[in-house]
Amino acid sequence: MPEQPYDPDRAIAPTGAGGGMDLAASEAETLEKTPGGPEGTGPAGKPRSLWSDAWRDLRRNPVFIVSGLVILFLVFISLWPSAIASGSPLTCNLSKAQQGSQPGAPFGYDGQGCNVYTRTVYGARTSVTVGVCATLGVALLGSVLGALAGFYGGLGDSVLSRVTDIFFAIPVVLGGLVLLSVVTSNTVWPVIGFMVLLGWPQIARIARGSVITAKQNDYVQAARSLGASNSRILMRHIAPNAVAPVIVVATIALGTYITLEATLSYLGVGLKPPNVSWGIDISAASPYIRNAPHALLWPSGALALTVLAFIMLGDAVRDALDPKLR
């Protein structure tokens, strides 16, 4: 058989069976430039990261899309409630007390003659503000303390573990009744501070476990052998790979904090009038549930829908960030 001349435009790629596979150079270039490329690669053959894979999965998840749209709508009415509700939520007319739906008041009026629709829309601002601020505070404080304890270990780790055990033993609602009953300020900040005070141990424990797992990986040992400082290893190598569980828990906990604010306001130790809150409206409408059930159902429904949206969002993010669920 005559010997074939050497063709530089063709290459031989080894296979797992020990044989060879002819692959044209032009075909290889096309494969590298194909978006998505081979399995585990992105555009131009670059390997995909956990975050790019998660975002790709989230965009295809209808639960994430629906919950995201609901949350975007809540954020919109929290920033600009007057865009869909005219009038002031503090304007009441006793002559219309407990009346049902009518023009200008599609949700009817409560026991004080206040427009239930307007108060429900403006109540979203308080709930979203408390939930977002409390979640940011809990995530920041818990992540920092948990990451430092998990990375350095020793006495600080032992002390943090015992402190978190003490905080876990405190009933949240009972703690709110005791601590907030002595607060005279009628703003959202005491409620947010209480949630941060009792909420950070959960995030701290999760962050600690994630950091302990991440610091045992080979890339951390390689960075340490190259002379990287502890702060650089923690910020550049460990934190990006340990933050996913914290994000998932914080997203789900945001809905929990909104529920907790409504519960404390319902019991009279959270926000108080003239603040506008779904918990306050539910508490005020409870005595009139037989004569004016609409005054109770609309703020309760808005609260339930908001909490459900954040829980669904957290579940979708968890599924996208957990490689074991793929």
Side-chain angles (χ1 to χ4, degrees):
M1 183 175 181
E3 183 179 349
Q4 295 293 333
Y6 173 72
D7 187 356
D9 292 335
R10 301 187 65 82
I12 296 181
T15 64
M21 176 179 64
D22 290 343
L23 180 66
S26 59
E27 295 175 355
E29 292 177 0
T30 303
L31 182 61
E32 291 182 355
K33 294 180 181 180
T34 302
E39 184 67 23
T41 62
K46 297 180 180 179
R48 294 195 300 260
S49 65
L50 172 65
W51 302 103
S52 61
D53 282 344
W55 175 241
R56 183 189 61 178
D57 293 341
L58 287 174
R59 288 181 300 176
R60 301 175 180 177
N61 191 342
V63 174
F64 172 78
I65 296 175
V66 173
S67 60
L69 292 176
V70 173
I71 292 173
L72 287 177
F73 176 73
L74 290 171
V75 172
F76 172 77
I77 65 175
S78 299
L79 297 175
W80 300 284
S82 59
I84 63 172
S86 59
S88 171
L90 302 179
T91 301
C92 303
N93 187 352
L94 284 176
S95 62
K96 298 182 178 180
Q98 303 183 23
Q99 293 184 8
S101 176
Q102 53 187 269
F107 295 173
Y109 294 89
D110 61 9
Q112 301 296 323
C114 302
N115 193 322
V116 177
Y117 172 76
T118 303
R119 290 189 64 86
T120 301
V121 172
Y122 276 84
R125 170 181 292 180
T126 301
S127 297
V128 172
T129 300
V130 171
V132 171
C133 292
T135 302
L136 292 177
V138 166
L140 181 61
L141 180 60
S143 298
V144 172
L145 294 179
L148 294 177
F151 183 75
Y152 291 103
L155 179 61
D157 187 18
S158 300
V159 172
L160 180 69
S161 298
R162 301 294 75 78
V163 172
T164 55
D165 291 339
I166 294 174
F167 276 93
F168 278 129
I170 301 176
V172 177
V173 176
L174 179 59
L177 290 173
V178 173
L179 296 178
L180 294 178
S181 61
V182 298
V183 176
T184 57
S185 177
N186 194 23
T187 62
V188 299
W189 299 113
V191 179
I192 294 174
F194 163 75
M195 294 180 182
V196 173
L197 178 64
L198 293 187
W200 69 266
Q202 180 186 19
I203 299 294
R205 180 163 291 184
I206 293 174
R208 172 183 174 273
S210 299
V211 170
I212 290 177
T213 302
K215 75 176 184 179
Q216 299 174 357
N217 292 326
D218 293 337
Y219 60 83
V220 175
Q221 305 302 326
R224 193 182 302 277
S225 64
L226 292 174
S229 62
N230 288 334
S231 59
R232 180 178 179 84
I233 292 174
L234 182 59
M235 298 300 298
R236 296 293 300 274
H237 300 285
I238 294 181
N241 294 283
V243 72
V246 175
I247 293 177
V248 173
V249 175
T251 305
I252 298 176
L254 199 155
T256 305
Y257 295 140
I258 292 177
T259 305
L260 180 58
E261 179 274 322
T263 302
L264 295 175
S265 298
Y266 178 86
L267 295 175
V269 296
L271 298 177
K272 303 176 182 62
N275 288 306
V276 180
S277 169
W278 290 333
I280 295 176
D281 290 347
I282 294 173
S283 177
S286 296
Y288 311 103
I289 187 172
R290 292 187 177 181
N291 298 328
H294 58 273
L296 177 65
L297 295 178
W298 286 112
S300 300
L303 175 63
L305 179 63
T306 301
V307 175
L308 179 62
F310 280 106
I311 292 177
M312 292 171 57
L313 180 67
D315 289 340
V317 173
R318 180 200 58 196
D319 295 342
L321 291 178
D322 191 351
K324 298 179 182 178
L325 299 178
R326 296 176 184 170

